């Protein structure tokens, strides 16, 4: 049996990178003793319209669901799995069968006991198309889920998969009671019945969501807070003003345009962490002109990546080298910086049959606005090499309907995934759920397949590294920059870690130090 039971605070390269950008207040909080009590006001930038834990799609919805529910595992800031409802897990030798040992004595908010049957029923509900869960595709590798006894679950897979413990930490795989999963599952669109650290008190999706401490939470002593108020601010400037005035205690997202305002104020802690969130330019590799590698390489050589980090990310990011992963991920391999080489780009374009240049139409959704910024910047940067790019912007709904996964040249935007395998199998393998580029590289596919079939860290690192080398040379899309995640908190807020995934919050660990306002 291959024991895979990783716990938090592992010393990894990505973990050290995360800690390196944490503010001094975070380091100090590790030494102080948590204090029980208090009310935390958290601001979010859009409505939490969905509270059904199997259907959440945007950050505020994930936040509220995490407060009220639990998964089998949690994702640590180092992007590894740690126990949640499952205390430990192990696999058979070929990684096609995983056994999860569950915590004893856990109760749902309605007082009913948590057992293995709840896990079985939850995963069965996720797999039903009518449930409408985003997790359905994520867990498609799971063929069956069986309860061996009340405290043991066995998952059988369709193929070997080393990252299953991380996969079951996905945002829409929260465990719900079997009675609800097999009965009136729509109840959870109106109320919360989980095992999480907080209980739902009130739900006004466009204004405020309030939760209170679950005194029966299964981790002794947690959560520390009495109550959390999640407050909705659609306007970024107003949200930042509320933070700086002390009306709110924690702002989970600060926009790039507002971050300097927060950082220069000095009265709050400005936080940032390296994330895997990126913009790219997708090119259909099975259609002219992008089925010619020389055209893709030529366009790549026109990109001033450092300038884009400054112009689009306003310095709160890092350059990319046409590989969709960075130091936020385990198994990331650093590549040589791609040069800005206009003359070489001209030569490659002429060699590909375009000595007089080429006309292209580049589509960019208007959401987020950084897509349009990248499109316009690429138009100007590539012009001296002979690329005549017309930029077409459109509403996001139109883009999703007419261009996404259909167009041959458009700007994409993607959030951090839980694993490097999650990025590759979502976007770039031949059988990827969102195979936008149709790159369909057999060597890449085989390397990724082999890497997900072993738990040996050195072997996985080598295989994923080679896969990144293939992508670096093959340029299926241009990935010029990554964004840091930005947040802000009052100095008395302790125990909060800005997570590189951007959808993990761990509020059960948060507490209020001296100086926090007294609220009822």
């Amino acid at each position: 049996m291959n024991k895979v039971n990783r716990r938090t605070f592992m010393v990894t390269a990505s973990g050290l990178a995360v800690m390196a950008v944490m503010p001094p207040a975070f380091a100090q909080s590790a030494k102080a003793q948590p204090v029980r009590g208090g009310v935390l006001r958290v601001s979010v930038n859009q409505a939490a319209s969905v509270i059904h834990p199997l259907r959440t799609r945007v950050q505020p919805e994930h936040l509220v669901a995490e407060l009220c529910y639990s998964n089998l595992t949690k994702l640590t800031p180092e992007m590894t799995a740690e126990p949640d409802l499952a205390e430990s897990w192990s696999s058979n030798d070929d990684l096609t069968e995983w056994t999860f040992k569950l915590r004893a004595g856990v109760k749902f908010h309605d007082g009913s006991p948590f057992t293995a049957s709840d896990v079985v029923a939850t995963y069965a509900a996720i797999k039903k198309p009518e449930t409408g869960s985003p997790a359905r595709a994520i867990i498609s590798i799971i063929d069956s889920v069986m309860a061996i006894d009340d405290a043991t679950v066995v998952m059988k897979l369709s193929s070997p998969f080393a990252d299953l413990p991380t996969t079951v930490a996905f945002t829409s795989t929260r465990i719900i009671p079997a009675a609800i999963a097999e009965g009136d599952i729509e109840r959870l669109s109106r109320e919360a019945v989980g095992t999480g650290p907080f209980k739902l008190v009130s739900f006004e999706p466009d204004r405020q969501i309030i939760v209170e401490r679950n005194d029966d939470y299964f981790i002794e002593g947690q959560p520390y807070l009495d109550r959390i108020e999640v407050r909705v601010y659609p306007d970024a400037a107003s949200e930042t003003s509320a933070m700086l005035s002390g009306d709110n205690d924690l702002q989970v997202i600060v926009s790039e345009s507002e971050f300097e305002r927060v950082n220069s104020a000095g009265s709050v802690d400005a936080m940032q962490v390296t994330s895997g969130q990126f913009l790219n330019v997708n090119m259909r590799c099975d259609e002219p002109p992008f089925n010619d590698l020389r055209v893709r390489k030529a366009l790549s050589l026109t990109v001033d990546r450092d300038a884009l980090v400054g112009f689009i990310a306003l310095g709160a990011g890092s350059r990319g080298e046409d590989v969709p992963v960075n130091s936020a991920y385990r198994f990331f391999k650093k590549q040589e910086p791609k040069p800005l080489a206009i003359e070489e780009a001209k030569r490659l374009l002429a060699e590909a049959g375009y000595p007089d240049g080429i006309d292209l139409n580049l589509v960019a959704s208007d959401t987020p606005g950084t897509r349009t910024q990248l499109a316009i910047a690429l138009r100007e940067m590539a012009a001296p090499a002979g690329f005549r790019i017309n930029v077409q912007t459109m509403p996001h709904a139109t883009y999703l309907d007419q261009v996404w996964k259909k167009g041959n040249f458009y700007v994409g935007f993607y959030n951090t995934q839980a694993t490097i395998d999650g990025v590759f199998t979502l976007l770039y393998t031949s059988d990827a759920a969102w195979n936008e580029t149709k790159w369909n590289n057999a060597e890449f596919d085989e390397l990724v397949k082999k890497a997900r079939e072993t738990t040996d860290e050195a072997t996985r690192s080598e295989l994923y590294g080679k896969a990144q080398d293939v992508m670096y040379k093959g340029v299926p899309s241009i990935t010029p920059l990554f964004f840091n995640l930005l947040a802000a908190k009052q100095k008395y807020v302790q125990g909060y870690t800005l997570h590189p995934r951007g959808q993990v919050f761990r509020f059960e660990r948060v507490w209020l130090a001296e100086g926090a306002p007294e609220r009822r």
Side-chain angles (χ1 to χ4, degrees), residues 40 42 63 66-67 228 250 496 505-510:
L40 182 77
V42 178
L63 187 157
E66 186 189 286
L67 290 172
I228 296 178
L250 176 66
Y496 182 73
F505 307 94
R506 301 154 73 93
F507 279 112
E508 69 275 8
R509 301 166 183 241
V510 174

Side-chain angles (χ1 to χ4, degrees), residues 77-326:
E78 295 79 27
M79 306 288 272
T80 58
E82 69 171 353
D84 200 5
L85 287 173
E87 287 188 317
S88 64
W89 46 90
S90 59
S91 75
N92 63 356
D93 289 338
D94 66 0
L95 301 175
T96 58
E97 183 175 303
W98 287 83
T99 300
F100 292 85
K101 293 292 186 180
L102 308 179
R103 293 181 189 269
V106 177
K107 294 179 182 179
F108 286 99
H109 295 167
D110 63 1
S112 61
F114 160 72
T115 69
S117 63
D118 301 304
V119 178
V120 174
T122 297
Y123 276 79
I126 292 171
K127 281 181 167 287
K128 292 178 181 177
E130 57 267 30
T131 301
S133 176
R136 183 169 177 249
I138 301 295
I139 66 164
S140 60
I141 196 170
I142 301 174
D143 272 348
S144 66
V145 183
M146 298 175 293
I148 304 305
D149 53 42
D150 281 354
T152 309
V153 169
V154 171
M155 294 185 177
K156 293 188 177 182
L157 313 184
S158 58
S159 60
F161 187 37
D163 284 331
L164 187 70
T166 327
T167 299
V168 296
F170 185 69
T171 50
S172 300
T173 58
R174 320 283 187 190
I175 305 302
I176 63 177
I180 295 178
E182 295 167 350
D184 182 12
I185 198 169
E186 294 307 317
R187 275 182 60 189
L188 301 182
S189 297
R190 307 181 298 273
E191 58 183 299
V193 187
T195 60
F198 295 89
K199 295 181 178 182
L200 185 66
V201 173
S202 64
F203 174 58
E204 300 174 75
D206 296 318
R207 194 181 77 85
Q208 181 172 260
I209 300 97
I210 298 176
V211 298
E212 65 183 8
R213 181 197 295 120
N214 173 17
D215 289 324
D216 293 323
Y217 186 53
F218 51 80
I219 297 180
E220 187 176 357
Q222 294 182 359
Y224 303 114
L225 297 166
D226 292 333
R227 190 169 80 246
I228 296 178
E229 300 172 359
V230 181
R231 312 171 92 192
V232 180
Y233 290 80
D235 179 71
S238 297
E239 184 181 14
T240 301
S241 294
M243 183 70 201
L244 295 178
S245 70
D247 198 29
N248 293 328
D249 306 313
L250 176 66
Q251 185 172 336
V252 295
I253 294 180
V254 177
S255 66
E256 289 85 6
S257 60
E258 290 290 310
F259 190 68
E260 180 54 35
R261 182 182 169 198
V262 170
N263 198 31
S264 61
S267 58
V268 300
D269 290 330
M271 307 173 74
Q272 64 175 306
V273 68
T274 300
S275 86
Q277 187 182 84
F278 67 91
L279 282 170
N280 74 356
V281 178
N282 287 307
M283 301 171 283
R284 278 288 295 263
C285 300
D286 62 338
E287 296 178 356
F290 300 117
N291 58 345
D292 191 321
L293 176 59
R294 293 169 295 189
V295 175
R296 305 199 302 271
K297 281 187 173 180
L299 187 58
S300 174
L301 291 173
T302 69
V303 181
D304 187 337
R305 297 158 199 264
D306 292 323
L308 291 178
V309 172
F311 167 61
I312 298 177
L314 301 181
S318 58
R319 58 181 285 158
E321 310 300 340
D322 300 338
V323 178
V325 293
N326 64 355

Side-chain angles (χ1 to χ4, degrees), residues 22-30 269 489-495:
M22 287 294 103
F26 176 79
Q28 292 168 6
S29 72
D269 290 330
K489 69 177 184 67
Q490 302 295 346
K491 294 183 182 297
Y492 52 75
V493 175
Q494 301 293 293

Side-chain angles (χ1 to χ4, degrees), residues 427-448:
L427 299 174
Y428 289 103
T429 55
S430 298
D431 60 353
W434 299 349
N435 183 6
E436 299 170 88
T437 64
K438 298 296 187 292
W439 182 39
N440 298 351
N441 185 290
E443 182 184 5
F444 179 81
D445 291 347
E446 185 63 19
L447 287 165
V448 172

